[in-house]
Amino acid sequence: MKEFIKRRDAGEIRVAFGGIYGLALVFGCFPPVYLWASGSAGVIAGLPVAIWYWILIAVLVGLSLWALYWVEDIRGELDEIRRPSTLADSSITPSAMPVEEVD
């Protein structure tokens, strides 16, 4: 699976995840679908269908963000946190460092 993901072009990954995010955007912003769900009197696990509609959109976005993070981690595209090893290596000198005042 990891080799399959590494072989994919960055454009293909953007299109795939862009499609998922676009689908969530359409479901979140397209009133007729929501109105259809909100007009339903059905109850699933004690919650109206309209509430499940929004929960499913949030789950879709959350899982797709996690999947995109996982794909970028496999491909080595995550930003590295840069921390200076010492103060001498950084552009901030001790005299220029901000001081917090405690009340």
Side-chain angles (χ1 to χ4, degrees):
M1 180 70 166
K2 289 184 179 183
E3 290 303 319
F4 175 77
I5 292 171
K6 287 180 182 179
R7 287 192 310 251
R8 297 296 101 195
D9 183 44
E12 293 176 19
I13 292 173
R14 273 192 301 258
V15 167
F17 283 99
I20 294 170
Y21 296 136
L23 180 67
L25 179 67
V26 167
F27 282 141
C29 295
F30 194 59
V33 178
Y34 173 72
L35 292 174
W36 166 79
S38 67
S40 174
V43 175
I44 302 172
L47 293 174
V49 174
I51 300 298
W52 281 108
Y53 178 82
W54 293 111
I55 290 172
L56 291 175
I57 291 172
V59 168
L60 174 67
V61 170
L63 288 176
S64 59
L65 283 172
W66 171 80
L68 181 58
Y69 178 84
W70 181 68
V71 167
E72 287 182 348
D73 185 35
I74 289 173
R75 294 173 53 90
E77 296 173 346
L78 293 178
D79 293 335
E80 295 292 326
I81 297 174
R82 294 186 173 181
R83 293 189 181 119
S85 58
T86 64
L87 283 175
D89 293 341
S90 73
S91 61
I92 300 176
T93 61
S95 61
M97 293 181 76
V99 177
E100 288 186 23
E101 293 183 15
V102 180
D103 293 333

